[in-house]
Amino acid sequence: QVQLVESGGGLVEAGGSLRLSCAASGSIFSIYTMGWSRQAPGKQREWVASITGAGSTNYADSVKGRFTISRDDAKNTVYLQMNTLKPEDTAVYYCNADTSRLAVVRGIARHWGQGTQVTVSS
């Protein structure tokens, strides 16, 4: 069981940058694959990025080259650095975690945060 709390969302102009943080509870953080997914109003939730306990990363094509996921196991925290933001990146971003990498990539992780709003203006 882990609890996740996101922070760092906000309003930015297109082309700008933002870094999201997700603080996780528990001393077994390192065994979980961590992920970020997002959901825009009226749209399906979309997987964005994931990072395994070993540090292997994967990204959705829509954010590849612009977003970077990382983790700091000493701080029980995962980050999403978002650069060159576009209006279509506007969404609520959710941190999530599971012992299964595939569950995270498929958007069915066991544990989810409350979300943080990211709005990118034109």
Side-chain angles (χ1 to χ4, degrees):
Q1 176 68 43
V2 297
Q3 293 183 326
L4 307 172
V5 180
E6 302 98 330
S7 62
L11 174 64
V12 297
E13 293 186 353
S17 297
L18 206 59
R19 188 177 76 156
L20 306 183
S21 298
C22 173
S25 66
S27 60
I28 56 171
F29 176 76
S30 63
I31 75 170
Y32 286 90
T33 291
M34 305 296 299
W36 290 94
S37 294
R38 65 188 183 185
Q39 188 167 30
K43 303 291 185 180
Q44 290 184 291
R45 192 169 65 202
E46 172 191 25
W47 166 77
V48 172
S50 61
I51 183 166
T52 69
S56 297
T57 59
N58 286 281
Y59 299 93
D61 288 343
S62 59
V63 307
K64 198 171 299 180
R66 300 188 298 120
F67 290 12
T68 302
I69 188 170
S70 61
R71 65 193 295 158
D72 185 341
D73 288 354
K75 298 183 182 295
N76 284 5
T77 301
V78 63
Y79 304 95
L80 187 68
Q81 178 66 47
M82 305 183 293
N83 298 326
T84 320
L85 283 161
K86 304 175 180 179
E88 51 262 46
D89 295 319
T90 295
V92 177
Y93 283 70
Y94 296 93
C95 179
N96 52 89
D98 202 289
T99 54
S100 167
R101 180 187 64 82
L102 286 177
V104 170
V105 172
R106 292 171 180 171
I108 55 171
R110 295 177 186 178
H111 309 286
W112 293 81
Q114 81 292 156
T116 186
Q117 177 71 48
V118 172
T119 303
V120 184
S121 62
S122 301

